[in-house]
Amino acid sequence: MNHNIDHTAGHGTDMPKAVKIKKIVDENYNTKTFFLDTKLEAVPGQFIMFWIPRIGEKPFSLSYIGNNTAITVQLKGKFTKKMFELSVDDIVGIRGPYGNGFTPQKNACVIAGGCGVIPLVPLVEMLDKPVVIVGAKTADAILFKERLNGNSKLYVATDDGSLGIKGFSTDIARELLKRKKFDVVYTCGPEMMMKAVFNLTEQHNIALQASLERFMKCGFGVCGQCIINGFRVCKDGPVFSSEQLRQMTEFGKFARLKNGKKVNLKEYYSWRS
Amino acid sequence: MSVITANLKTTLLGTELRNPTILAAGFLGVSAESLIRVYENGAGAVTTKSISIESRNGHANPTVLSFGHGLINAVGLSNPGIDNYIEEIKTVKEKKIPLILNTIGDRNEDFITVAKLGEAAGVDIIELNVSCPNVIHKKPYYSDPELLSSLVRNVKDAVSIPVIVKLSPNVTDIKEIAKAVEDAGADGISAINTVGPGMIINIETAKPVMAFKKGGLSGPAIKPVAIRCVYDIYETVDIPVIGIGGIMNGKATVEMIMAGASAVGIGSAIYYRGLDVFKKISEELSEWMDNNGYTSIKQLVGAAHES
Ligand SMILES: Cc1cc2nc3c(=O)[nH]c(=O)nc-3n(C[C@H](O)[C@H](O)[C@H](O)COP(=O)(O)O)c2cc1C
Ligand code: FES
């Protein structure tokens, strides 16, 4: 939403704005970064709604902010398949940035799982020498290794042990949090992983900022589709604090289908993929 | 800080409201906790999404956008179906929050089933959203006085809580519709539903922006239409009216009540002014009334009409 105008008078627009695709980069076998010919004022953790005419519209976190604007996308379903057919100079629509984003703090630990690393990378670049733990299925699947390495102490976990330890990022976190005192932990990844991270930060009494995901429609807080308990992921989130997570009985357990029905996360993820 | 002053209290069809602001259907009505949060942010009552017998997935995205003078939406009445919604209703009613169940159906029996289950779960008022076509007669309910009368009679026979009908502005003569609804026994009317439908085309790609191509308009752009509809309805019937459409602030609320509304529905204003818009509007309303010598909502209802 444009904040420079008087909303009590009822102005302001949130329409897809036409932008050109400037560059497309293959990150790995199933992930591409789309650089867009536009400049957005955004903070790490915010997202945009990405519209392909006649195909649909979906939210994506920004993977580059500042001089570049980009989203990084893993091939998953019908929509991302269409995205992967896009070429440089194609015109798409974007609106946003939306959501609150992360609040950078000192003495931080960043814990990422899978493509959850995407919104965390611009944050890592902004933080003062954070400790970063990334987990992925295989060595190939780890995104933005160079960008992460540049500014942090990096730990890696892979499911198959092809890089770093064999196991999960939470295995590394469990040991690390015993030895070292952090002031803040940032996390994004599969919700069960984030739930495990939340349990750890609660145990060690560390403030957590977790970026959650739910199916969205409006993206600006009116329709209620993305609700977790009373919280709107698109507007109150996507980044939530420990205090908010404590109030979320649905965190790590339930999410809502397109029709609003509350189902367990397994059913939700099988619908989403 | 409490914004609730005595003079904002109003009674709607036997239900006491602490103020006349009501959450309109389709905004944040997916979960009980979301409705409760709206109440905690100052609403006098809340309305559910439109609920049908079976679940509905609605349309593809983009479904809700803001075009500069209001919102355009083609959500497509997505909802989990009444069976999956009963728990949400019960959770809201455990908090004693005034609750309107908005119902949608393809035939009279659908509305009846949903209304009865809602009544049993404790809702205070049934609102019939008649913007869907009747599948048997292959006509929209909202523009056909006879279809509407049969629907209202059937639902009234089936439940004992108040039944209101939400009217569409997209008809030739809203007075005729309002009269038919009152004659059939409706306890109240809410007006208006969205205007249009409208369309927005992205010129760079030469494509309609909404996935459904068209969408209903709401927000500031439609307020004059809403005011005129409520004015016309108030002229025609004696049952109470909930005025909905483009209410952004306290003064717009005064205007709508002067047109004939006993309470106002608020939706799009959440986009412009945040979730606590209900608190803000109540404060503005109360301040305006104090400054202009009104002490109760009753004094304002229909004040714009010649008596
Ligand atoms: C996103 C959205 C969803 C809506 N869903 C419903 C609905 O499910 N049932 C209904 O009766 N009206 C629905 N409406 C219409 C509103 O309840 C209301 O009548 C209309 O938006 C005008 O009020 P406003 O200008 O305050 O938004 C919806 C409107 C919007 C913008
Ligand atoms: S997507 Fe509509 S409220 Fe979040």
Side-chain angles (χ1 to χ4, degrees), chain A residues 1 7-18 49 51 53-57 91 95 215-218 220-225 227 229-232 236 249-250 256 258-262, chain B residues 26-31 33-34 37 55-69 71 75 78-80 84 88 200 202 204-205 207-209 220 248-249 270-273 275:
Chain A
M1 195 186 328
H7 288 291
T8 64
H11 300 301
T13 58
D14 274 290
M15 297 296 295
K17 186 184 82 173
M49 294 297 269
W51 175 58
R54 298 240 156 98
I55 302 300
E57 187 187 46
I91 294 179
R95 54 191 180 96
F215 181 69
M216 289 182 191
K217 285 179 181 168
C218 68
F220 46 63
V222 304
C223 74
Q225 174 68 44
I227 216 90
N229 296 100
F231 298 95
R232 299 163 296 178
D236 306 309
T249 53
E250 294 177 15
R256 285 171 194 271
K258 197 176 176 206
N259 62 29
K261 186 184 173 195
K262 188 161 99 180
Chain B
F27 292 86
L28 301 172
V30 175
S31 78
E33 276 151 303
S34 174
R37 189 170 166 207
S55 69
R56 290 172 59 109
N57 272 331
H59 301 310
N61 281 336
T63 44
V64 191
L65 296 169
S66 146
F67 62 89
H69 313 280
L71 304 184
V75 169
S78 61
N79 79 88
N84 289 313
E88 315 284 350
I200 291 166
N202 177 276
E204 284 85 4
T205 56
K207 306 276 192 309
V209 180
M248 293 292 122
N249 50 44
I270 296 167
Y271 166 76
Y272 295 98
R273 303 188 64 193
L275 209 87

Side-chain angles (χ1 to χ4, degrees), chain B residues 11-288:
Chain B
T11 305
L12 181 71
L13 300 168
T15 302
E16 276 231 7
L17 309 187
R18 57 186 177 175
N19 69 60
T21 68
I22 300 176
L23 174 73
F27 292 86
L28 301 172
V30 175
S31 78
E33 276 151 303
S34 174
L35 290 168
I36 292 167
R37 189 170 166 207
V38 170
Y39 185 76
E40 285 167 351
N41 275 280
V46 294
T47 310
T48 68
K49 301 186 68 132
S50 284
I51 302 295
S52 48
I53 292 194
E54 304 288 345
S55 69
R56 290 172 59 109
N57 272 331
H59 301 310
N61 281 336
T63 44
V64 191
L65 296 169
S66 146
F67 62 89
H69 313 280
L71 304 184
I72 179 164
N73 97 83
V75 169
L77 302 166
S78 61
N79 79 88
I82 184 69
D83 289 343
N84 289 313
Y85 202 78
I86 291 293
E87 275 314 305
E88 315 284 350
I89 292 173
K90 286 184 176 162
T91 308
V92 174
K93 283 315 297 181
E94 267 166 27
K95 301 257 177 189
K96 307 249 181 302
I97 296 169
L99 178 64
I100 300 172
L101 172 64
N102 183 297
T103 61
I104 187 88
D106 296 328
R107 45 179 78 76
N108 293 9
E109 295 74 45
D110 298 0
F111 285 92
I112 292 168
T113 306
V114 175
K116 278 171 118 169
L117 290 168
E119 178 177 40
V123 303
D124 298 285
I125 293 170
I126 301 289
E127 179 174 58
L128 308 176
N129 177 2
V130 293
S131 291
C132 252
N134 175 303
V135 288
I136 297 164
H137 298 274
K138 299 203 168 47
K139 293 195 269 201
Y141 270 108
Y142 69 85
S143 59
D144 189 311
E146 264 175 51
L147 269 182
L148 268 180
S149 299
S150 78
L151 175 65
V152 171
R153 272 196 303 272
N154 286 177
V155 177
K156 276 300 290 175
D157 285 346
V159 299
S160 45
I161 53 176
V163 175
I164 65 180
V165 184
K166 184 167 181 180
L167 299 188
S168 165
N170 313 318
V171 294
T172 315
D173 183 4
I174 203 163
K175 291 183 179 175
E176 182 195 9
I177 307 279
K179 190 86 189 100
V181 158
E182 180 182 52
D183 288 346
D187 300 285
I189 285 173
S190 50
I192 56 178
N193 214 316
T194 53
V195 171
M199 180 184 280
I200 291 166
I201 293 168
N202 177 276
I203 57 174
E204 284 85 4
T205 56
K207 306 276 192 309
V209 180
M210 307 293 286
F212 189 63
K213 297 195 174 75
K214 314 177 253 189
L217 308 184
S218 62
I222 74 166
K223 195 188 78 178
V225 179
I227 298 285
R228 185 268 301 166
C229 286
V230 168
Y231 188 94
D232 279 353
I233 294 165
Y234 186 84
E235 293 264 279
T236 316
V237 301
D238 294 322
I239 51 180
V241 184
I242 301 175
I244 313 170
I247 306 284
M248 293 292 122
N249 50 44
K251 282 184 182 169
T253 303
V254 172
E255 187 182 351
M256 184 58 98
I257 296 174
M258 285 181 167
S262 301
V264 298
I266 290 168
S268 300
I270 296 167
Y271 166 76
Y272 295 98
R273 303 188 64 193
L275 209 87
D276 57 350
V277 65
F278 301 91
K279 230 175 245 172
K280 290 174 181 158
I281 288 182
S282 292
E283 276 169 350
E284 290 159 3
L285 174 62
S286 161
E287 192 186 327
W288 189 91

